[in-house]
Amino acid sequence: MSLPRLLLPLALLLAAPLVSAAPAAVVQTPQVRAELVAHAPEGVGAGKPLALGLVIRHQDGWHSYWKNPGDSGLPTTLAWTLPPGVAAGDIEWPTPKRLPVGPLMNFGYDGTLLLPVAVQVGPGFDARTLDIRLHAEWLVCKEVCIPESGDFVLSLPREQATAGSAALFEAARAALPRRVAGVSAAARIDGDSVQLSVKGLPADWQGQALDLLPATAGALRNAARPEAAWAGADWNARLAIDPQRTAAPETLELVLTRAGEPAGIELAAAVTGAWPALAAPETTETAEPAAAAPLPPAAAEGGLLPALLLAFFGGMLLNLMPCVFPVLSLKVLGFAAHAHDRGKLLAGGLAYAAGVVVSFVALAGLLLALRAGGEQLGWGFQLQQPGVVAALAALFTLIGLNLAGVFELGSVLPSSWAAARARHPLVDSLLTGVLAVAVASPCTAPFMGASLGVAMTLAPAQALLVFAVLGLGMAAPYLLASAWPRLAGWLPRPGVWMLHFKVAMAFPMFATVVWLVWVLGQQAGIDGAAALLALLLALAFAAWAFGARTLGTRARVGFGAVAVLLLGATLAWALPAWHEAPPAAASARAEGDWQPWSAERAATLAAEGRTVFVDFTAAWCVTCQVNKRTTLSRADVLAEFRSRGVVLLRADWTRRDAAITAELARLGRSGVPVYALYVPGEAAPRVLSEILSPGEVRTMLADLPPAAAPVGAPA
């Protein structure tokens, strides 16, 4: 049985959390417990009081958002399906709290939150039960943000009182901002600020320290506290206008709050004067993508322990990924050199494991820090930068030239460095582990996708632990082999054969360079790839000039000077070429049946009721390219997609793309490859395993009805 077939049941098991359960009154995620509740103290009927509400119980440290979420975030949305004659009103938002995030300011809730909605029952309603369906979407955040959603159902008996949640509704009503008779507010534009005057406040509020929350979004600076002062019984405040504002309201909706009060006072201030000019919309690639419909996260139900187990086995399987093969050849060389010295073999295995684990943790720490700072990044983010790709290509070129005997490190390094390297061979093993992580990080092995998705939702210390266990899993086979005495009996003793084997191992390095040049060509176009090739040629010449044993001092100085000039010239050509992205047509083009993915395109197809299959890929992801050539480009697989009327989209993550990063986050993933089938009527997409086979794709498509008329390439 093939490896993909063996992994298919486990892959489907991992994808199970992505698929919403049947609608119920309660939806549980690792971050919140959401419940649909009702309050009908007199039963259900015309003129009788009736309220519905969504209760969100946040886990410690997590929060969701107000109707004005602030500088980031999204408000919770409720979409009701009710019988004829029954109508639901808008959400009655409780008074929120400030949620500072660095220099930004958000508004929202933690702990237990009830979002109540008043319901009107018409005189024509005569059913025995009121059947309610709700689709809710909310964004929950801690160090990271997770879009979540749930489908809820509830049936209320017509003649029976429903008051089990009365205390929750009472607490929510007590926290609602209230209109106070006699309180009035006026606002006047004054340059880059709004002058606000509030009159008629209650006597126990006068002279107190007050705060102001803007219920109208997009006009005021959320992070700026009002510059306030009392003038007798009047409260005057200067409010800073957001220089990147997106609204120019005629009336400012505000909530005035006082410490210790559960509810604020609602203000509606008519604005006089002209608002400053609106800011131009952002068009850069780093602009926040339009919010798409959230999906349930693919978090493991058990929390940290399942994530650690998945990470360990994912790390072990990472050794089978094509991108790791070249570095494994270096480990084979180390095994051969010390196969009959158990002490050195074990020490080398431990040093290699340390290099792998420390590198995974360091790379994960950088990723988490950048994400906490607002960057839209995922696993393998470093290879989205052409400069990093070029540096790796240069490193593998030098390794290959060294293995092939073009130069010796002892001829290039100062004698003291070379001697130190000879005295500390464990450093070589440790650096081999670092190199293995640098090359392996773009790959996502089976089990890794789910574990990394969970890691992005955990506290930083727990997330780093997941990545450390991932590194331990990757290093485990070599650590085990290093400690296994019988291994020595399987390898021949050191001899001349090792010299030939060392030269042979240069060719996997050069093969990796070919791949990296292709990756950079996808990012920076043909000019960028040509510049990298020229730079590698100059680098090879410099390695020979400075490191060849057969050259004398004068020849080395002369050739070395030429090499330095060549390196400078090629760098002057390469850096600008790598900095500029290729034209959009080159980076996002149709390939036969495959069309470029975009959030807008996906939303349009969803609105049309089309089934869509998305290949989330990148040029630097070797597993992606293998799957593309062995499965997704096969004529029989493409014919099966066409026969089912499936639209094929390809989301290319080779360069940074905030919209793709956001969509991966919605799927509970932080790296590629990811393969998702979006079926109309299904709450969440079907996510396949990281290693595809034609049989797995056919199994996924088997329950889809045939297309009315087979379609060709999508329009």
Side-chain angles (χ1 to χ4, degrees):
M1 185 177 289
S2 65
L3 178 62
R5 289 179 180 274
L6 286 171
L7 295 176
L8 177 59
L10 287 172
L12 295 178
L13 179 62
L14 295 178
L18 286 172
V19 183
S20 292
V26 176
V27 170
Q28 180 83 44
T29 77
Q31 293 75 39
V32 304
R33 182 181 187 274
E35 182 180 5
L36 174 60
V37 296
H39 184 60
E42 302 175 14
V44 178
K48 296 181 179 180
L50 172 61
L52 301 174
L54 181 68
V55 180
I56 301 178
R57 292 180 171 88
H58 303 84
Q59 294 292 333
D60 290 344
W62 293 88
H63 59 265
S64 56
Y65 293 92
W66 190 36
K67 61 180 177 181
N68 173 18
D71 291 319
S72 62
L74 291 171
T76 300
T77 61
L78 306 179
W80 301 94
T81 301
L82 300 170
V86 181
D90 296 329
I91 296 175
E92 299 175 3
W93 297 91
T95 303
K97 63 169 60 176
R98 288 182 177 266
L99 302 169
V101 184
L104 307 180
M105 182 63 68
N106 296 331
F107 308 109
Y109 313 93
D110 54 14
T112 298
L113 166 70
L114 170 64
L115 297 176
V117 172
V119 177
Q120 298 293 327
V121 179
F125 178 77
D126 58 0
R128 298 182 63 181
T129 61
L130 173 58
D131 296 323
I132 303 159
R133 300 182 70 89
L134 168 66
H135 177 74
E137 298 177 352
W138 60 91
L139 182 68
V140 60
C141 296
K142 195 176 181 181
E143 284 83 5
V144 297
C145 291
I146 304 174
E148 296 183 343
S149 65
D151 291 292
F152 304 82
V153 294
L154 193 64
S155 291
L156 301 181
R158 181 179 178 185
E159 303 299 334
Q160 181 179 335
T162 301
S165 300
L168 286 172
F169 281 93
E170 183 63 30
R173 280 193 294 269
L176 294 179
R178 64 189 190 278
R179 296 277 184 176
V180 177
V183 176
S184 62
R188 175 176 56 84
I189 305 295
D190 182 14
D192 60 354
S193 64
V194 174
Q195 298 292 336
L196 178 71
S197 178
V198 182
K199 301 178 181 295
L201 287 169
D204 59 342
W205 283 57
Q206 294 178 18
Q208 302 294 313
L210 308 181
D211 192 13
L212 198 68
L213 307 179
T216 301
L220 303 177
R221 285 185 58 191
N222 298 304
R225 299 273 184 169
E227 300 177 8
W230 286 95
D234 298 344
W235 188 75
N236 300 317
R238 182 182 182 89
L239 313 177
I241 296 175
D242 189 344
Q244 300 296 322
R245 70 182 184 84
T246 57
E250 296 180 356
T251 301
L252 276 176
E253 300 291 337
L254 307 164
V255 175
L256 195 62
T257 65
R258 187 181 71 163
E261 288 283 344
I265 295 178
E266 281 191 344
L267 302 176
V271 179
T272 59
W275 287 89
L278 286 169
E282 295 185 24
T283 59
T284 64
E285 67 172 7
T286 58
E288 183 74 18
L295 299 170
E301 286 296 328
L304 181 60
L305 182 58
L308 294 177
L309 293 174
L310 293 174
F312 183 81
F313 289 111
M316 292 184 65
L317 290 173
L318 193 58
N319 291 290
L320 302 178
M321 298 297 102
C323 53
V324 189
F325 288 166
V327 180
L328 302 191
S329 63
L330 298 179
K331 285 305 300 171
V332 173
L333 277 174
F335 273 23
H338 303 296
H340 303 281
D341 188 333
R342 185 181 177 188
K344 290 184 178 180
L345 194 62
L346 179 57
L350 291 171
Y352 173 78
V356 170
V357 172
V358 170
S359 298
F360 263 113
V361 172
L363 193 58
L366 178 60
L367 171 61
L368 294 173
L370 292 173
R371 286 171 66 99
E375 294 289 335
Q376 291 278 353
L377 298 173
W379 190 240
F381 69 97
Q382 69 278 13
L383 286 190
Q384 293 176 326
Q385 302 297 328
V388 175
V389 175
L392 281 176
L395 177 60
F396 275 92
T397 298
L398 290 175
I399 293 174
L401 293 173
N402 176 250
L403 292 173
V406 173
F407 75 99
E408 296 293 335
L409 288 176
S411 301
V412 178
L413 297 175
S415 58
S416 59
W417 290 18
R421 180 174 173 268
R423 290 194 305 268
H424 303 287
L426 296 184
V427 175
D428 284 349
S429 295
L430 186 143
L431 293 178
T432 302
V434 174
L435 184 62
V437 174
V439 180
S441 58
C443 290
T444 301
F447 307 140
M448 272 185 64
S451 63
L452 296 184
V454 174
M456 293 298 109
T457 72
L458 297 173
Q462 294 177 320
L464 292 177
L465 179 60
V466 172
F467 282 98
V469 172
L470 177 64
L472 188 61
M474 181 178 176
Y478 304 99
L479 195 57
L480 180 63
S482 300
W484 191 16
R486 292 187 179 181
L487 179 68
W490 296 356
L491 295 174
R493 293 193 174 275
V496 177
W497 70 272
M498 290 185 60
L499 298 177
H500 300 300
F501 184 74
K502 177 182 176 184
V503 174
M505 288 300 97
F507 294 97
M509 303 300 156
F510 295 140
T512 303
V513 174
V514 172
W515 164 58
L516 290 168
V517 171
W518 178 77
V519 170
L520 193 137
Q522 297 292 310
Q523 295 174 331
I526 189 64
D527 289 344
L532 176 58
L533 288 172
L535 179 63
L536 296 180
L537 178 62
L539 187 65
F541 181 76
W544 171 76
F546 289 110
R549 288 182 174 181
T550 57
L551 290 179
T553 302
R554 293 180 61 185
R556 186 168 295 176
V557 170
F559 285 126
V562 175
V564 171
L565 292 175
L566 287 175
L567 284 172
T570 52
L571 277 174
W573 173 22
L575 293 178
W578 300 338
H579 181 70
E580 295 181 5
S587 59
R589 58 184 181 276
E591 301 176 27
D593 293 86
W594 296 89
Q595 298 293 315
W597 178 92
S598 69
E600 295 78 11
R601 174 72 169 149
T604 299
L605 291 170
E608 295 173 357
R610 304 288 297 277
T611 300
V612 178
F613 180 82
V614 182
D615 170 18
F616 294 90
T617 184
W620 38 260
C621 170
V622 179
T623 308
C624 302
Q625 305 309 317
V626 172
N627 289 337
K628 178 179 177 181
R629 284 158 177 76
T630 60
T631 299
L632 296 180
S633 62
R634 285 175 54 126
D636 56 336
V637 172
L638 293 173
E640 184 73 16
F641 277 121
R642 285 194 293 269
S643 71
R644 304 287 179 176
V646 179
V647 181
L648 302 179
L649 301 181
R650 180 158 282 147
D652 191 342
W653 207 37
T654 301
R655 273 186 174 267
R656 283 183 58 184
D657 188 308
I660 294 176
T661 306
E663 185 66 13
L664 287 172
R666 293 175 62 238
L667 294 172
R669 296 293 189 265
S670 64
V672 290
V674 172
Y675 306 101
L677 183 72
Y678 299 75
V679 181
E682 295 188 4
R686 309 176 190 180
V687 179
L688 280 72
S689 63
E690 289 87 350
I691 300 180
L692 282 184
S693 70
E696 182 179 0
V697 175
R698 293 191 189 96
T699 300
M700 173 194 67
L701 298 175
D703 63 342
L704 296 180
V711 296

